[in-house]
Amino acid sequence: MVKNLSIGVLGIQGDVSEHVISMRNAFDKTKKANGEVFIVKYKEEIDDIDALIFPGGESSTISNILYKSGLFETIIDRIKDNSLPIIGTCAGCILLAKKIVGKTNDDLKLLNAMDIEVERNAFGRQKFSFERNININGFTKPYYAVFIRAPRIIKTSGNCEILAKIDKKIIMARQDKFLALSFHPELTRDTRIHEFFINMIV
Ligand code: GLN
């Protein structure tokens, strides 16, 4: 039987509606599951979802709002329960980490979901944002990726699997039902990463 999934997109900051559209398009393409996708802003809504998307934005701002709104605790509880798969893009990748390496803001509370250490703004400032084709393990064709003040994953441990690198820098990793990306898959029409996530969680 085809599964029915409810996916929430965290609606605090960043490309929220773009992720909703990409995920809906991914559900249209895949036969693996049916799904509804909606924006979540309140902790009560976290109980109703099967998985969560953390868009990019400013990780310190997102972390702050998460914490003040009580969303942080609710999400942490479901991470500890192993009941909430998450895809984190850019700032979302930072929040999934256990540790930030280098200069950061002390207020930035991390979700500790993945055994990754990240460096913020690892490719430089806004003007050094870039787009390019990358190779992702298991994808048969290159993926055109958009990097905006992107972080990189410095180190992985445990059962964390590295899925893509550019110039030796890790830009995509998966651990159990968590997927961390330095770039923005919601900014192109290529839905393969959202489909990959669906496959991870069905
Ligand atoms: N540089 C941002 C941060 O550190 C992330 C940028 C993004 O999400 N596009 O939070």
Side-chain angles (χ1 to χ4, degrees), residues 13-15 54-62 89-95 100 104 108 119-122 124 126 129 146-151 181-184 186-187:
Q13 205 192 36
D15 300 332
F54 258 85
E58 193 59 38
S59 49
S60 43
T61 308
I62 299 175
T89 62
C90 207
C93 164
I94 297 167
L95 291 165
I100 296 180
T104 192
L108 209 166
E119 178 189 17
R120 293 176 74 188
N121 305 321
Q126 182 76 24
S129 295
V146 179
F147 295 81
I148 304 169
R149 289 199 308 127
L181 316 166
S182 296
F183 50 95
H184 289 268
E186 75 287 4
L187 291 182

Side-chain angles (χ1 to χ4, degrees), residues 16-80:
V16 179
S17 52
E18 288 83 351
H19 266 299
V20 171
I21 293 166
S22 298
M23 201 40 132
R24 284 184 182 153
N25 289 340
F27 274 120
D28 286 345
K29 286 197 182 152
T30 181
K31 308 240 172 333
K32 295 268 172 71
N34 296 320
E36 44 169 9
V37 188
F38 48 89
I39 297 171
V40 290
K41 289 188 178 187
Y42 304 103
K43 59 180 185 185
E44 294 73 22
E45 294 167 311
I46 300 297
D47 292 339
D48 300 331
I49 55 173
D50 298 307
L52 181 62
I53 298 180
F54 258 85
E58 193 59 38
S59 49
S60 43
T61 308
I62 299 175
S63 168
N64 209 352
I65 296 173
L66 278 180
Y67 200 71
K68 288 189 176 145
S69 64
L71 269 162
F72 193 86
E73 283 307 315
T74 316
I75 294 170
I76 291 270
D77 284 346
R78 287 211 48 197
I79 290 174
K80 285 187 184 149

Side-chain angles (χ1 to χ4, degrees), residues 98-147:
K98 286 226 151 96
K99 189 172 168 194
I100 296 180
V101 178
K103 203 173 93 180
T104 192
N105 170 337
D106 289 340
D107 292 348
L108 209 166
K109 293 189 177 53
L110 302 172
L111 294 166
N112 272 296
M114 291 178 72
D115 290 316
I116 56 175
E117 296 183 13
V118 296
E119 178 189 17
R120 293 176 74 188
N121 305 321
F123 298 88
R125 306 173 64 160
Q126 182 76 24
K127 67 176 178 179
F128 298 112
S129 295
F130 61 99
E131 300 174 10
R132 63 175 263 193
N133 271 323
I134 61 168
N135 292 313
I136 299 176
N137 289 359
F139 284 33
T140 48
K141 289 192 192 130
Y143 184 92
Y144 191 72
V146 179
F147 295 81

